[in-house]
Amino acid sequence: MRKSGRPREFKDTAVIDSAMELFWEVGYEACSTEDLCKQTGLGRGSLYNAYGSKHELYEQALLHYHEIGIQAQIEILQGQGPIKDRLRALLDWAIQEDFANENRRGCLLINAAMERAQRDPVVERLFKRHVDLLEQALQQAIETGQMSGEISRTHQASDLVYLFLGNYYGLRVLNAAQNRERAIQMAKATLEIVF
């Protein structure tokens, strides 16, 4: 239900991007409404009129991050070339993303899940959707690799998907506290196990 007052004129990508950056830096709990106002340039009233609450803005920021990230990952997996190259490109993408910022913020959705998923159904739902979509794309890629003979049929495709997903998300969590060289070695080991 819409609240009375000014229309939601500030609900745009620039505000959501700004809020996303702040949530990414400090997490949900440590982020105050005052911090969000400073970060986005909106007054408290405008922020609440446009987004309703800090949590609704958080949800918009997570959804925006999810849409950008899952699109990039799926495009890599559905690209051209050998399946091994696509899986390597996905691991390389994750390493690049995780080490792109000097503070090594990692993945916003993983951070959100670790901070809030147990008590926040919105975070749990968004993270699950993200993982489910990545799992589906991996399943398709690995099945394609098995049909072409690139990947052995010794293991079921679903088992290889779970193995890859576990290593992929484990790598992304560990990247917060390890160096790039070790991350590259872990990615290489993951590919050697799958192939």
Side-chain angles (χ1 to χ4, degrees), residues 143-171:
E143 285 175 354
T144 299
Q146 286 185 325
M147 289 189 324
S148 71
E150 284 183 73
I151 300 174
S152 168
R153 292 181 184 254
T154 306
H155 300 286
Q156 290 186 11
S158 59
D159 291 340
L160 293 174
V161 169
Y162 293 142
L163 173 74
F164 191 92
L165 270 178
N167 285 4
Y168 182 75
Y169 282 110
L171 173 70

PDB file of all heavy atoms in Angstrom, residues 143-171:
ATOM      1  N   GLU A 143      26.083 -30.628 -18.151  1.00  0.00           N
ATOM      2  CA  GLU A 143      25.420 -31.635 -18.993  1.00  0.00           C
ATOM      3  C   GLU A 143      25.885 -31.513 -20.446  1.00  0.00           C
ATOM      4  O   GLU A 143      26.135 -32.523 -21.110  1.00  0.00           O
ATOM      5  CB  GLU A 143      23.901 -31.493 -18.910  1.00  0.00           C
ATOM      6  CG  GLU A 143      23.326 -32.018 -17.614  1.00  0.00           C
ATOM      7  CD  GLU A 143      21.827 -31.764 -17.466  1.00  0.00           C
ATOM      8  OE1 GLU A 143      21.238 -31.072 -18.340  1.00  0.00           O
ATOM      9  OE2 GLU A 143      21.254 -32.252 -16.474  1.00  0.00           O
ATOM     10  N   THR A 144      26.036 -30.286 -20.919  1.00  0.00           N
ATOM     11  CA  THR A 144      26.544 -30.063 -22.273  1.00  0.00           C
ATOM     12  C   THR A 144      27.959 -30.620 -22.398  1.00  0.00           C
ATOM     13  O   THR A 144      28.301 -31.270 -23.396  1.00  0.00           O
ATOM     14  CB  THR A 144      26.526 -28.548 -22.615  1.00  0.00           C
ATOM     15  OG1 THR A 144      25.182 -28.086 -22.550  1.00  0.00           O
ATOM     16  CG2 THR A 144      27.098 -28.278 -23.994  1.00  0.00           C
ATOM     17  N   GLY A 145      28.776 -30.386 -21.379  1.00  0.00           N
ATOM     18  CA  GLY A 145      30.139 -30.902 -21.372  1.00  0.00           C
ATOM     19  C   GLY A 145      30.188 -32.421 -21.349  1.00  0.00           C
ATOM     20  O   GLY A 145      31.048 -33.036 -21.988  1.00  0.00           O
ATOM     21  N   GLN A 146      29.260 -33.036 -20.651  1.00  0.00           N
ATOM     22  CA  GLN A 146      29.220 -34.505 -20.630  1.00  0.00           C
ATOM     23  C   GLN A 146      28.746 -35.063 -21.974  1.00  0.00           C
ATOM     24  O   GLN A 146      29.274 -36.063 -22.449  1.00  0.00           O
ATOM     25  CB  GLN A 146      28.332 -34.994 -19.486  1.00  0.00           C
ATOM     26  CG  GLN A 146      28.985 -34.840 -18.129  1.00  0.00           C
ATOM     27  CD  GLN A 146      28.165 -35.422 -16.989  1.00  0.00           C
ATOM     28  OE1 GLN A 146      26.937 -35.377 -16.998  1.00  0.00           O
ATOM     29  NE2 GLN A 146      28.861 -35.970 -16.002  1.00  0.00           N
ATOM     30  N   MET A 147      27.785 -34.396 -22.591  1.00  0.00           N
ATOM     31  CA  MET A 147      27.289 -34.866 -23.895  1.00  0.00           C
ATOM     32  C   MET A 147      28.358 -34.733 -24.978  1.00  0.00           C
ATOM     33  O   MET A 147      28.456 -35.567 -25.878  1.00  0.00           O
ATOM     34  CB  MET A 147      26.022 -34.104 -24.296  1.00  0.00           C
ATOM     35  CG  MET A 147      24.833 -34.510 -23.446  1.00  0.00           C
ATOM     36  SD  MET A 147      23.210 -33.864 -23.965  1.00  0.00           S
ATOM     37  CE  MET A 147      23.534 -32.253 -24.572  1.00  0.00           C
ATOM     38  N   SER A 148      29.185 -33.690 -24.874  1.00  0.00           N
ATOM     39  CA  SER A 148      30.234 -33.485 -25.883  1.00  0.00           C
ATOM     40  C   SER A 148      31.482 -34.312 -25.596  1.00  0.00           C
ATOM     41  O   SER A 148      32.385 -34.366 -26.427  1.00  0.00           O
ATOM     42  CB  SER A 148      30.612 -32.005 -25.952  1.00  0.00           C
ATOM     43  OG  SER A 148      31.328 -31.622 -24.770  1.00  0.00           O
ATOM     44  N   GLY A 149      31.556 -34.926 -24.428  1.00  0.00           N
ATOM     45  CA  GLY A 149      32.720 -35.717 -24.063  1.00  0.00           C
ATOM     46  C   GLY A 149      33.811 -34.926 -23.361  1.00  0.00           C
ATOM     47  O   GLY A 149      34.856 -35.475 -23.004  1.00  0.00           O
ATOM     48  N   GLU A 150      33.584 -33.641 -23.131  1.00  0.00           N
ATOM     49  CA  GLU A 150      34.582 -32.815 -22.436  1.00  0.00           C
ATOM     50  C   GLU A 150      34.690 -33.201 -20.960  1.00  0.00           C
ATOM     51  O   GLU A 150      35.748 -33.076 -20.360  1.00  0.00           O
ATOM     52  CB  GLU A 150      34.189 -31.337 -22.488  1.00  0.00           C
ATOM     53  CG  GLU A 150      34.432 -30.654 -23.799  1.00  0.00           C
ATOM     54  CD  GLU A 150      34.070 -29.182 -23.693  1.00  0.00           C
ATOM     55  OE1 GLU A 150      34.843 -28.437 -23.042  1.00  0.00           O
ATOM     56  OE2 GLU A 150      33.024 -28.795 -24.233  1.00  0.00           O
ATOM     57  N   ILE A 151      33.564 -33.597 -20.391  1.00  0.00           N
ATOM     58  CA  ILE A 151      33.524 -33.960 -18.977  1.00  0.00           C
ATOM     59  C   ILE A 151      33.117 -35.433 -18.875  1.00  0.00           C
ATOM     60  O   ILE A 151      32.152 -35.856 -19.530  1.00  0.00           O
ATOM     61  CB  ILE A 151      32.514 -33.082 -18.202  1.00  0.00           C
ATOM     62  CG1 ILE A 151      32.898 -31.609 -18.293  1.00  0.00           C
ATOM     63  CG2 ILE A 151      32.417 -33.511 -16.736  1.00  0.00           C
ATOM     64  CD1 ILE A 151      31.880 -30.655 -17.683  1.00  0.00           C
ATOM     65  N   SER A 152      33.827 -36.171 -18.080  1.00  0.00           N
ATOM     66  CA  SER A 152      33.549 -37.599 -17.888  1.00  0.00           C
ATOM     67  C   SER A 152      32.144 -37.804 -17.320  1.00  0.00           C
ATOM     68  O   SER A 152      31.640 -36.988 -16.554  1.00  0.00           O
ATOM     69  CB  SER A 152      34.588 -38.183 -16.924  1.00  0.00           C
ATOM     70  OG  SER A 152      34.189 -39.469 -16.521  1.00  0.00           O
ATOM     71  N   ARG A 153      31.570 -38.933 -17.680  1.00  0.00           N
ATOM     72  CA  ARG A 153      30.267 -39.307 -17.126  1.00  0.00           C
ATOM     73  C   ARG A 153      30.414 -40.189 -15.891  1.00  0.00           C
ATOM     74  O   ARG A 153      29.455 -40.821 -15.451  1.00  0.00           O
ATOM     75  CB  ARG A 153      29.427 -40.014 -18.184  1.00  0.00           C
ATOM     76  CG  ARG A 153      28.998 -39.105 -19.316  1.00  0.00           C
ATOM     77  CD  ARG A 153      28.151 -39.877 -20.314  1.00  0.00           C
ATOM     78  NE  ARG A 153      27.805 -39.060 -21.453  1.00  0.00           N
ATOM     79  CZ  ARG A 153      26.607 -38.556 -21.665  1.00  0.00           C
ATOM     80  NH1 ARG A 153      25.636 -38.781 -20.819  1.00  0.00           N
ATOM     81  NH2 ARG A 153      26.370 -37.828 -22.736  1.00  0.00           N
ATOM     82  N   THR A 154      31.600 -40.225 -15.320  1.00  0.00           N
ATOM     83  CA  THR A 154      31.855 -41.023 -14.120  1.00  0.00           C
ATOM     84  C   THR A 154      30.939 -40.590 -12.980  1.00  0.00           C
ATOM     85  O   THR A 154      30.483 -41.405 -12.196  1.00  0.00           O
ATOM     86  CB  THR A 154      33.330 -40.882 -13.679  1.00  0.00           C
ATOM     87  OG1 THR A 154      34.158 -41.206 -14.779  1.00  0.00           O
ATOM     88  CG2 THR A 154      33.648 -41.780 -12.509  1.00  0.00           C
ATOM     89  N   HIS A 155      30.683 -39.305 -12.902  1.00  0.00           N
ATOM     90  CA  HIS A 155      29.798 -38.742 -11.871  1.00  0.00           C
ATOM     91  C   HIS A 155      28.581 -38.120 -12.539  1.00  0.00           C
ATOM     92  O   HIS A 155      28.672 -37.619 -13.658  1.00  0.00           O
ATOM     93  CB  HIS A 155      30.531 -37.679 -11.042  1.00  0.00           C
ATOM     94  CG  HIS A 155      31.728 -38.204 -10.326  1.00  0.00           C
ATOM     95  ND1 HIS A 155      31.651 -39.008  -9.222  1.00  0.00           N
ATOM     96  CD2 HIS A 155      33.047 -38.043 -10.581  1.00  0.00           C
ATOM     97  CE1 HIS A 155      32.860 -39.317  -8.807  1.00  0.00           C
ATOM     98  NE2 HIS A 155      33.731 -38.748  -9.621  1.00  0.00           N
ATOM     99  N   GLN A 156      27.474 -38.119 -11.835  1.00  0.00           N
ATOM    100  CA  GLN A 156      26.285 -37.465 -12.349  1.00  0.00           C
ATOM    101  C   GLN A 156      26.543 -35.962 -12.447  1.00  0.00           C
ATOM    102  O   GLN A 156      27.273 -35.386 -11.628  1.00  0.00           O
ATOM    103  CB  GLN A 156      25.104 -37.713 -11.422  1.00  0.00           C
ATOM    104  CG  GLN A 156      24.615 -39.136 -11.440  1.00  0.00           C
ATOM    105  CD  GLN A 156      23.354 -39.302 -10.606  1.00  0.00           C
ATOM    106  OE1 GLN A 156      22.735 -38.336 -10.179  1.00  0.00           O
ATOM    107  NE2 GLN A 156      22.973 -40.542 -10.379  1.00  0.00           N
ATOM    108  N   ALA A 157      25.909 -35.351 -13.409  1.00  0.00           N
ATOM    109  CA  ALA A 157      26.066 -33.909 -13.600  1.00  0.00           C
ATOM    110  C   ALA A 157      25.692 -33.151 -12.329  1.00  0.00           C
ATOM    111  O   ALA A 157      26.382 -32.204 -11.937  1.00  0.00           O
ATOM    112  CB  ALA A 157      25.226 -33.426 -14.781  1.00  0.00           C
ATOM    113  N   SER A 158      24.622 -33.565 -11.669  1.00  0.00           N
ATOM    114  CA  SER A 158      24.176 -32.856 -10.458  1.00  0.00           C
ATOM    115  C   SER A 158      25.230 -32.910  -9.356  1.00  0.00           C
ATOM    116  O   SER A 158      25.421 -31.938  -8.629  1.00  0.00           O
ATOM    117  CB  SER A 158      22.844 -33.415  -9.951  1.00  0.00           C
ATOM    118  OG  SER A 158      22.968 -34.794  -9.658  1.00  0.00           O
ATOM    119  N   ASP A 159      25.951 -34.030  -9.248  1.00  0.00           N
ATOM    120  CA  ASP A 159      27.015 -34.130  -8.242  1.00  0.00           C
ATOM    121  C   ASP A 159      28.155 -33.156  -8.557  1.00  0.00           C
ATOM    122  O   ASP A 159      28.710 -32.521  -7.654  1.00  0.00           O
ATOM    123  CB  ASP A 159      27.558 -35.559  -8.158  1.00  0.00           C
ATOM    124  CG  ASP A 159      26.557 -36.539  -7.569  1.00  0.00           C
ATOM    125  OD1 ASP A 159      25.605 -36.089  -6.882  1.00  0.00           O
ATOM    126  OD2 ASP A 159      26.712 -37.754  -7.796  1.00  0.00           O
ATOM    127  N   LEU A 160      28.499 -33.050  -9.839  1.00  0.00           N
ATOM    128  CA  LEU A 160      29.555 -32.113 -10.236  1.00  0.00           C
ATOM    129  C   LEU A 160      29.116 -30.673 -10.029  1.00  0.00           C
ATOM    130  O   LEU A 160      29.921 -29.815  -9.650  1.00  0.00           O
ATOM    131  CB  LEU A 160      29.951 -32.353 -11.693  1.00  0.00           C
ATOM    132  CG  LEU A 160      30.637 -33.696 -11.977  1.00  0.00           C
ATOM    133  CD1 LEU A 160      30.858 -33.878 -13.472  1.00  0.00           C
ATOM    134  CD2 LEU A 160      31.947 -33.820 -11.212  1.00  0.00           C
ATOM    135  N   VAL A 161      27.834 -30.412 -10.246  1.00  0.00           N
ATOM    136  CA  VAL A 161      27.309 -29.063 -10.004  1.00  0.00           C
ATOM    137  C   VAL A 161      27.445 -28.718  -8.529  1.00  0.00           C
ATOM    138  O   VAL A 161      27.909 -27.631  -8.173  1.00  0.00           O
ATOM    139  CB  VAL A 161      25.831 -28.956 -10.457  1.00  0.00           C
ATOM    140  CG1 VAL A 161      25.203 -27.661  -9.967  1.00  0.00           C
ATOM    141  CG2 VAL A 161      25.738 -29.050 -11.973  1.00  0.00           C
ATOM    142  N   TYR A 162      27.048 -29.633  -7.642  1.00  0.00           N
ATOM    143  CA  TYR A 162      27.144 -29.369  -6.199  1.00  0.00           C
ATOM    144  C   TYR A 162      28.598 -29.183  -5.771  1.00  0.00           C
ATOM    145  O   TYR A 162      28.912 -28.320  -4.958  1.00  0.00           O
ATOM    146  CB  TYR A 162      26.495 -30.485  -5.388  1.00  0.00           C
ATOM    147  CG  TYR A 162      24.995 -30.562  -5.554  1.00  0.00           C
ATOM    148  CD1 TYR A 162      24.344 -31.787  -5.604  1.00  0.00           C
ATOM    149  CD2 TYR A 162      24.218 -29.405  -5.674  1.00  0.00           C
ATOM    150  CE1 TYR A 162      22.968 -31.861  -5.764  1.00  0.00           C
ATOM    151  CE2 TYR A 162      22.848 -29.473  -5.842  1.00  0.00           C
ATOM    152  CZ  TYR A 162      22.222 -30.700  -5.888  1.00  0.00           C
ATOM    153  OH  TYR A 162      20.865 -30.769  -6.048  1.00  0.00           O
ATOM    154  N   LEU A 163      29.481 -30.006  -6.323  1.00  0.00           N
ATOM    155  CA  LEU A 163      30.910 -29.871  -6.024  1.00  0.00           C
ATOM    156  C   LEU A 163      31.419 -28.501  -6.458  1.00  0.00           C
ATOM    157  O   LEU A 163      32.089 -27.800  -5.691  1.00  0.00           O
ATOM    158  CB  LEU A 163      31.700 -30.977  -6.741  1.00  0.00           C
ATOM    159  CG  LEU A 163      33.224 -30.863  -6.647  1.00  0.00           C
ATOM    160  CD1 LEU A 163      33.692 -31.241  -5.257  1.00  0.00           C
ATOM    161  CD2 LEU A 163      33.898 -31.721  -7.695  1.00  0.00           C
ATOM    162  N   PHE A 164      31.074 -28.107  -7.689  1.00  0.00           N
ATOM    163  CA  PHE A 164      31.535 -26.822  -8.201  1.00  0.00           C
ATOM    164  C   PHE A 164      30.953 -25.675  -7.385  1.00  0.00           C
ATOM    165  O   PHE A 164      31.678 -24.744  -7.010  1.00  0.00           O
ATOM    166  CB  PHE A 164      31.172 -26.669  -9.685  1.00  0.00           C
ATOM    167  CG  PHE A 164      31.835 -25.492 -10.337  1.00  0.00           C
ATOM    168  CD1 PHE A 164      33.056 -25.637 -10.968  1.00  0.00           C
ATOM    169  CD2 PHE A 164      31.248 -24.235 -10.303  1.00  0.00           C
ATOM    170  CE1 PHE A 164      33.680 -24.540 -11.559  1.00  0.00           C
ATOM    171  CE2 PHE A 164      31.867 -23.138 -10.885  1.00  0.00           C
ATOM    172  CZ  PHE A 164      33.086 -23.288 -11.521  1.00  0.00           C
ATOM    173  N   LEU A 165      29.644 -25.735  -7.104  1.00  0.00           N
ATOM    174  CA  LEU A 165      29.011 -24.670  -6.317  1.00  0.00           C
ATOM    175  C   LEU A 165      29.650 -24.529  -4.941  1.00  0.00           C
ATOM    176  O   LEU A 165      29.896 -23.423  -4.477  1.00  0.00           O
ATOM    177  CB  LEU A 165      27.518 -24.951  -6.142  1.00  0.00           C
ATOM    178  CG  LEU A 165      26.554 -24.423  -7.173  1.00  0.00           C
ATOM    179  CD1 LEU A 165      25.138 -24.855  -6.834  1.00  0.00           C
ATOM    180  CD2 LEU A 165      26.627 -22.924  -7.316  1.00  0.00           C
ATOM    181  N   GLY A 166      29.892 -25.662  -4.280  1.00  0.00           N
ATOM    182  CA  GLY A 166      30.521 -25.626  -2.957  1.00  0.00           C
ATOM    183  C   GLY A 166      31.895 -24.984  -3.014  1.00  0.00           C
ATOM    184  O   GLY A 166      32.240 -24.139  -2.180  1.00  0.00           O
ATOM    185  N   ASN A 167      32.683 -25.367  -4.014  1.00  0.00           N
ATOM    186  CA  ASN A 167      34.015 -24.786  -4.161  1.00  0.00           C
ATOM    187  C   ASN A 167      33.934 -23.313  -4.551  1.00  0.00           C
ATOM    188  O   ASN A 167      34.708 -22.482  -4.059  1.00  0.00           O
ATOM    189  CB  ASN A 167      34.824 -25.556  -5.206  1.00  0.00           C
ATOM    190  CG  ASN A 167      35.313 -26.886  -4.683  1.00  0.00           C
ATOM    191  OD1 ASN A 167      34.993 -27.291  -3.571  1.00  0.00           O
ATOM    192  ND2 ASN A 167      36.080 -27.592  -5.483  1.00  0.00           N
ATOM    193  N   TYR A 168      33.000 -22.982  -5.417  1.00  0.00           N
ATOM    194  CA  TYR A 168      32.844 -21.609  -5.890  1.00  0.00           C
ATOM    195  C   TYR A 168      32.489 -20.665  -4.739  1.00  0.00           C
ATOM    196  O   TYR A 168      33.138 -19.643  -4.535  1.00  0.00           O
ATOM    197  CB  TYR A 168      31.755 -21.586  -6.971  1.00  0.00           C
ATOM    198  CG  TYR A 168      31.495 -20.242  -7.592  1.00  0.00           C
ATOM    199  CD1 TYR A 168      32.383 -19.694  -8.508  1.00  0.00           C
ATOM    200  CD2 TYR A 168      30.335 -19.527  -7.297  1.00  0.00           C
ATOM    201  CE1 TYR A 168      32.125 -18.468  -9.109  1.00  0.00           C
ATOM    202  CE2 TYR A 168      30.079 -18.305  -7.897  1.00  0.00           C
ATOM    203  CZ  TYR A 168      30.977 -17.776  -8.795  1.00  0.00           C
ATOM    204  OH  TYR A 168      30.726 -16.556  -9.383  1.00  0.00           O
ATOM    205  N   TYR A 169      31.474 -21.039  -3.966  1.00  0.00           N
ATOM    206  CA  TYR A 169      31.083 -20.167  -2.857  1.00  0.00           C
ATOM    207  C   TYR A 169      32.092 -20.219  -1.715  1.00  0.00           C
ATOM    208  O   TYR A 169      32.330 -19.206  -1.051  1.00  0.00           O
ATOM    209  CB  TYR A 169      29.666 -20.493  -2.385  1.00  0.00           C
ATOM    210  CG  TYR A 169      28.630 -19.910  -3.315  1.00  0.00           C
ATOM    211  CD1 TYR A 169      27.851 -20.716  -4.128  1.00  0.00           C
ATOM    212  CD2 TYR A 169      28.467 -18.533  -3.423  1.00  0.00           C
ATOM    213  CE1 TYR A 169      26.924 -20.171  -5.004  1.00  0.00           C
ATOM    214  CE2 TYR A 169      27.551 -17.977  -4.293  1.00  0.00           C
ATOM    215  CZ  TYR A 169      26.786 -18.800  -5.081  1.00  0.00           C
ATOM    216  OH  TYR A 169      25.882 -18.249  -5.954  1.00  0.00           O
ATOM    217  N   GLY A 170      32.729 -21.357  -1.515  1.00  0.00           N
ATOM    218  CA  GLY A 170      33.803 -21.426  -0.519  1.00  0.00           C
ATOM    219  C   GLY A 170      34.956 -20.514  -0.897  1.00  0.00           C
ATOM    220  O   GLY A 170      35.504 -19.782  -0.052  1.00  0.00           O
ATOM    221  N   LEU A 171      35.310 -20.524  -2.167  1.00  0.00           N
ATOM    222  CA  LEU A 171      36.361 -19.642  -2.667  1.00  0.00           C
ATOM    223  C   LEU A 171      36.002 -18.185  -2.417  1.00  0.00           C
ATOM    224  O   LEU A 171      36.820 -17.404  -1.919  1.00  0.00           O
ATOM    225  CB  LEU A 171      36.564 -19.872  -4.174  1.00  0.00           C
ATOM    226  CG  LEU A 171      37.507 -18.916  -4.892  1.00  0.00           C
ATOM    227  CD1 LEU A 171      38.950 -19.170  -4.463  1.00  0.00           C
ATOM    228  CD2 LEU A 171      37.360 -19.061  -6.407  1.00  0.00           C
TER     229      LEU A 171
END
